[in-house]
Amino acid sequence: MKKLSLCAFILVFSVGLLYARTESQDSVKYRFNPVVVTATKIAGVQKDIAASVSVIDEKLIENSVANSVFDLVTQNVPGVFISERAVMGYGVSSGAAGGISIRGIGGSPVTGVLVLRDGRPDIMGMMGHPIPDAYSLDGVERIEVVRGPASFLYGTNAMGGVINIVSKRSTEDGFNTQVSAGMGSFDTRNYRVAHGGKSGIFEYHVTAGRNETDGHREESDYEGDFYTAHFGLNLNPATQIEFNANLTDLYLLDPGTETTPYVDHWYDLQRSGADVTISHSGKLGDSYLKMHGNFGDHKIYDGWRSKDHTIGVMFYQNMKLFKGNGTTIGFDIKQYGGDAEDSVTKSPYLDYTEKNVVEYAPYIHTQQLFYERFILSGGVRFEKHELYGSEILPKAGLVYHINNSTSVRLSAAKGFRSPSIRELYVMPPRNEELEPERMWNYEIGLSKQLYHWLNIETALFRSKGSNLIQMQGPPMQFVNTGEFDHTGYEVSVNCYPVEKLILSASWSKLDLQDETLNSPGKKLTTYVAYDWLFARSGFNFIYVRDLYGDNNHQNPMSNYSLLNIFTSFNLTHGVGLKFSVKNALDKEYQTMWDCPMPGRYSTMELIYNF
């Protein structure tokens, strides 16, 4: 495996060097340090941040074979893995489909990684986890992934990291519409329309889409309708109002495992959410007030019916107290919970009475530039939980710019997760004696830019913690496990040798001790894309090794490699055609124990812009 990863790096480096010699440096216009906001809530360039942050931009979103946000993240971000079992969709069963693992932290279902939409938490209020099928790529402009704890800014659930989905905005005057329709293997179909525009002080972008498939196994049908909306209003140069909303309506079947297949295990899910943000720039800095909520209505074959919510208010103030300083002071409050019933069993041993939990927290984060080279940062959050009292969540970091092309960063941060309502109160595995999960993450990273067209990022980390919540038995019950100690490293290479060529690669190696569920020990990803006269072609390659279907190294799965290929053509003005092939090498593989993934399959999409 060492030889394979070394060869991949040499290939990326060598091809980049070849093209770099054929083009002048003046023609190379690439940005290795995009502006990010998730890691600090202050917009800043990536190289000035002590945390490990990955950014998936709009160009990569448009030129990929991914079906969802999670699919795209696992294809491009080191240290992150998402389990799958179908052509489309993940499902909401206990089989860990759609399980997100960042450096081994995530859980089953995912409660240790926080998913945000435009900075607001997006979780199932009763269960404490996101619904993976709810995140299509429609209306998405950018995805920011924080690898490592972000609890000092976002509180519970951000122990392993954060995935922030940023809505698409219209930035140029005028109006545009895109309509597309596609079809593919397994009777896969997709239709979508996107429309946006900007006029004077008003801009907007709205989308509607539908995905369907019969699936590659019996009883794996999937239907999903997705709607997004963004509206922005510039009241004056200093004050803006922004509204974002999403609605997802899903109907899917769970085929079960290959050994124990299911019949008519259907899930009917509806997720919705919205937020309103008022921002103002004044003498004291930039103020942000966000009111947010997300809601769910779930119906399942076994009689389960539930409604859940997460609602809250977020306020923060960004200030420059003196030269070289950036400080954020904020306050969050949210309530999450829901109500459920079981129309079939009506068992007296199941507690479905409505439960709600309130959390609130003030926090502060500051960073200071010294001698034009050192950026020292620190922050602390005082989390107040209705059940567990107060939790102090500190963070510290240092970035040292050795020169204009080389930076070293150090960080230490505490991660935290309070038990979900499901784990405490709902269904027989519940345990009202559970304690919160806690973790400290220590990290050192290096960023190096070479020849204006090649950038290398590395990170070495160690995460020590205790009280991970797992289901053990018999009898099956949620319990706090003992201490854990995770270590690993990540390498990312981005290469833009000429204007029309993109090359990137990432490698991660994790030593997770016994927390091996759906978290590969090694993962390699590469991405290559090239613009021709009227077309763009590319491929994505993924290699996964040391993957297990359970903790304690149980249920080992075969190592696998995937090659995904795409080509898009501009046929005439405004008309495009895109072909893609997933698993082009027709490999047999699993990302979940006893759930075979599809072999080679292809899709074709016709796109019209006007």
Side-chain angles (χ1 to χ4, degrees):
M1 190 56 223
K2 291 181 179 179
K3 291 182 179 179
L4 178 60
S5 59
L6 179 61
C7 289
F9 175 82
I10 293 173
L11 175 62
V12 171
F13 187 88
S14 300
V15 173
L17 184 60
L18 174 63
Y19 277 89
R21 289 176 176 174
T22 63
E23 296 285 336
S24 67
Q25 289 185 355
D26 292 339
S27 67
V28 181
K29 299 177 182 178
Y30 302 107
R31 191 172 60 186
F32 286 119
N33 290 288
V35 174
V36 296
V37 297
T38 306
T40 61
K41 291 195 175 181
I42 295 179
V45 295
Q46 189 176 12
K47 70 176 184 177
D48 290 343
I49 297 172
S52 293
V53 183
S54 299
V55 180
I56 297 175
D57 61 19
E58 189 173 10
K59 195 168 187 178
L60 182 55
I61 293 172
E62 294 174 351
N63 296 283
S64 74
V65 298
N67 295 322
S68 69
V69 167
F70 287 2
D71 194 14
L72 189 60
V73 168
T74 200
Q75 290 177 13
N76 293 277
V77 180
V80 181
F81 188 78
I82 290 98
S83 57
E84 301 177 87
R85 66 177 179 194
V87 175
M88 284 183 182
Y90 298 93
V92 294
S93 73
S94 59
I100 313 170
S101 168
I102 297 182
R103 296 175 172 176
I105 300 295
S108 175
V110 183
T111 48
V113 173
L114 182 62
V115 176
L116 306 173
R117 285 185 182 268
D118 295 295
R120 63 172 165 87
D122 195 79
I123 61 173
M124 199 282 196
M126 287 189 68
M127 304 302 185
H129 61 80
I131 302 298
D133 293 289
Y135 304 105
S136 77
L137 289 168
D138 296 342
V140 178
E141 180 176 277
R142 190 173 75 256
I143 305 166
E144 297 183 4
V145 181
V146 179
R147 310 191 308 276
S151 298
F152 74 99
L153 280 182
Y154 300 103
T156 185
N157 293 73
M159 190 170 85
V162 169
I163 299 175
N164 188 21
I165 303 165
V166 181
S167 296
K168 186 175 177 60
R169 292 151 173 79
S170 297
T171 58
E172 298 182 359
D173 289 337
F175 303 91
N176 59 83
T177 302
Q178 183 182 87
V179 179
S180 66
M183 59 183 298
S185 307
F186 311 114
D187 202 16
T188 297
R189 304 166 299 281
N190 63 75
Y191 319 93
R192 50 191 29 86
V193 57
H195 174 72
K198 183 176 185 296
S199 178
I201 63 173
F202 179 65
E203 58 91 11
Y204 66 97
H205 188 85
V206 295
T207 71
R210 179 174 177 82
N211 295 333
E212 304 173 348
T213 184
D214 291 345
H216 72 294
R217 296 175 57 195
E218 294 291 330
E219 299 288 322
S220 63
D221 301 44
Y222 174 93
E223 299 175 5
D225 296 315
F226 304 90
Y227 307 91
T228 71
H230 162 82
F231 300 94
L233 183 64
N234 293 315
L235 298 179
N236 55 57
T239 307
Q240 295 82 39
I241 298 177
E242 183 178 291
F243 172 78
N244 298 293
N246 61 278
L247 171 65
T248 302
D249 195 356
L250 302 165
Y251 184 86
L252 56 98
L253 297 179
D254 177 5
T257 65
E258 193 171 36
T259 303
T260 309
Y262 296 152
V263 176
D264 200 31
H265 278 207
W266 55 267
Y267 296 79
D268 188 350
L269 315 175
Q270 187 177 96
R271 305 296 308 176
S272 61
D275 62 81
V276 176
T277 303
I278 303 172
S279 60
H280 177 76
S281 297
K283 293 181 179 179
L284 296 179
D286 300 328
S287 305
Y288 298 86
L289 176 66
K290 182 186 293 288
M291 295 161 284
H292 64 86
N294 69 80
F295 310 90
D297 187 350
H298 296 189
K299 302 179 180 67
I300 300 177
Y301 69 93
D302 60 2
W304 172 272
R305 305 289 185 268
S306 70
K307 293 181 182 294
D308 69 273
H309 66 270
T310 302
I311 57 175
V313 177
M314 308 168 72
F315 172 81
Y316 62 97
Q317 178 85 23
N318 292 336
M319 303 173 290
K320 294 183 179 180
L321 301 180
F322 26 79
K323 183 179 179 181
N325 178 261
T327 296
T328 299
I329 298 176
F331 181 84
D332 300 340
I333 183 170
K334 66 176 180 286
Q335 181 199 72
Y336 55 89
D339 194 8
E341 62 176 291
D342 188 335
S343 62
V344 176
T345 64
K346 298 184 180 297
S347 170
Y349 301 102
L350 305 180
D351 184 358
Y352 293 139
T353 57
E354 183 172 358
K355 295 286 194 305
N356 295 288
V357 173
V358 174
E359 294 181 1
Y360 63 88
Y363 62 89
I364 183 171
H365 179 263
T366 187
Q367 57 186 36
Q368 178 66 48
L369 175 66
F370 295 98
Y371 304 110
E372 303 299 325
R373 289 184 179 274
F374 296 90
I375 301 175
L376 182 64
S377 60
V380 63
R381 182 185 185 94
F382 299 93
E383 188 82 2
K384 181 68 174 180
H385 192 280
E386 184 176 340
L387 302 177
Y388 296 105
S390 300
E391 188 80 21
I392 299 176
L393 303 170
K395 170 261 181 185
L398 173 66
V399 178
Y400 172 43
H401 295 307
I402 299 174
N403 51 46
N404 291 335
S405 62
T406 307
S407 301
V408 176
R409 54 186 174 82
L410 304 169
S411 68
K414 184 179 179 181
F416 167 81
R417 182 181 79 86
S418 56
S420 66
I421 291 176
R422 173 208 181 202
E423 292 164 333
L424 289 169
Y425 303 117
V426 181
M427 296 183 285
R430 66 193 179 202
N431 181 357
E432 296 186 29
E433 304 300 320
L434 290 172
E435 292 294 321
E437 300 177 344
R438 297 178 175 91
M439 180 183 81
W440 272 95
N441 182 78
Y442 309 93
E443 187 169 332
I444 181 171
L446 173 70
S447 174
K448 179 67 176 178
Q449 183 173 330
L450 300 171
Y451 307 113
H452 306 284
W453 49 265
L454 177 66
N455 190 73
I456 302 173
E457 298 273 351
T458 64
L460 178 67
F461 73 90
R462 183 175 188 179
S463 301
K464 300 184 66 176
S466 60
N467 289 341
L468 287 180
I469 298 172
Q470 298 178 1
M471 192 184 298
Q472 296 183 357
M476 300 305 292
Q477 187 179 38
F478 288 114
V479 298
N480 290 114
T481 60
E483 296 182 352
F484 65 90
D485 190 348
H486 296 171
T487 59
Y489 69 89
E490 301 155 346
V491 180
S492 298
V493 179
N494 292 287
C495 183
Y496 305 94
V498 294
E499 188 174 355
K500 296 182 179 181
L501 180 64
I502 300 174
L503 304 105
S504 65
S506 71
W507 166 256
S508 55
K509 182 183 183 302
L510 309 177
D511 182 0
L512 305 177
Q513 293 186 334
D514 295 330
E515 284 71 49
T516 55
L517 172 63
N518 295 332
S519 298
K522 303 177 182 70
K523 189 183 81 163
L524 170 71
T525 69
T526 62
Y527 176 81
V528 177
Y530 185 74
D531 286 331
W532 305 87
L533 293 176
F534 57 91
R536 165 172 279 245
S537 298
F539 68 84
N540 170 257
F541 178 79
I542 307 171
Y543 178 79
V544 172
R545 186 181 178 91
D546 302 335
L547 180 63
Y548 296 88
D550 205 344
N551 286 317
N552 301 300
H553 298 86
Q554 297 184 46
N555 298 334
M557 289 180 276
S558 299
N559 305 330
Y560 66 86
S561 56
L562 297 178
L563 178 65
N564 305 315
I565 303 172
F566 73 89
T567 299
S568 57
F569 300 92
N570 295 319
L571 301 180
T572 61
H573 182 69
V575 179
L577 190 64
K578 181 178 179 179
F579 295 95
S580 62
V581 181
K582 298 194 73 172
N583 192 8
L585 302 178
D586 200 25
K587 296 289 187 177
E588 295 183 3
Y589 74 104
Q590 300 177 8
T591 70
M592 293 176 52
W593 176 251
D594 204 26
C595 294
M597 288 293 287
R600 181 189 302 115
Y601 64 101
S602 58
T603 59
M604 178 182 68
E605 185 176 20
L606 183 64
I607 305 167
Y608 180 48
N609 294 281
F610 58 93

